[in-house]
Amino acid sequence: MNTSTPFEHRAAASGLTEPLLRQVILSFYEKVRRDAVLGPVFAEAIGDDWNPHIERIMLFWLTATRLGRGYDGRNFMPVHVRNRSIRADQLPRWLALFRETAAEQCAPQAASVLIDIAERMAETLEISLGRRDTN
């Protein structure tokens, strides 16, 4: 009996692996840290100790791609919405850097899987930030 989900099959079939995902995430966050728009937002939210954040992000992506488990997503949205320095108008820049990084680090099929997840995550976050800003 096949218990894999279509998304799990898509991620694995695209060539995504945990080491490749880690490479994408580390490269992406290096860009974020240097970015004039996003760098200050992340510096304020994370401070100087990026290791715990990177590990949480890795758990998120492993869980989202079904390559692993362990991310507890209950706090994802509240943490982002509570931080007033995170704004919906920053999401296009975040997505542009993510798309660029995925395309640089991955074969097209694997990049597509990651970009699809990132776009859906950004869309959900944009809705929540919009609700926050209209209340």
Side-chain angles (χ1 to χ4, degrees), residues 25-74:
I25 296 307
L26 291 172
S27 180
F28 171 67
Y29 278 103
E30 278 303 312
K31 290 179 184 186
V32 165
R33 291 172 89 167
R34 293 188 308 261
D35 188 76
V37 173
L38 300 176
V41 175
F42 278 82
E44 178 186 319
I46 296 168
D48 293 330
D49 191 5
W50 277 73
N51 290 335
H53 180 72
I54 294 297
E55 292 313 310
R56 271 191 308 277
I57 294 302
M58 277 302 299
L59 279 176
F60 167 83
W61 281 100
L62 288 168
T63 302
T65 58
R66 309 296 194 261
L67 295 173
R69 294 183 182 175
Y71 182 76
D72 179 2
R74 286 178 286 179

Side-chain angles (χ1 to χ4, degrees), residues 35-131:
D35 188 76
V37 173
L38 300 176
V41 175
F42 278 82
E44 178 186 319
I46 296 168
D48 293 330
D49 191 5
W50 277 73
N51 290 335
H53 180 72
I54 294 297
E55 292 313 310
R56 271 191 308 277
I57 294 302
M58 277 302 299
L59 279 176
F60 167 83
W61 281 100
L62 288 168
T63 302
T65 58
R66 309 296 194 261
L67 295 173
R69 294 183 182 175
Y71 182 76
D72 179 2
R74 286 178 286 179
N75 289 326
F76 173 82
M77 200 58 67
V79 164
H80 288 82
V81 171
R82 273 195 310 265
N83 186 327
R84 299 300 265 176
S85 66
I86 298 173
R87 301 184 323 265
D89 65 349
Q90 298 159 338
L91 291 170
R93 180 68 185 147
W94 184 90
L95 274 173
L97 287 178
F98 191 86
R99 287 181 186 120
E100 175 185 288
T101 305
E104 289 169 354
Q105 301 290 327
C106 301
Q109 190 178 7
S112 176
V113 170
L114 294 177
I115 291 167
D116 182 49
I117 294 167
E119 287 173 346
R120 287 189 278 145
M121 182 175 64
E123 186 177 299
T124 301
L125 190 52
E126 183 176 24
I127 291 166
S128 293
L129 292 171
R131 286 184 189 142

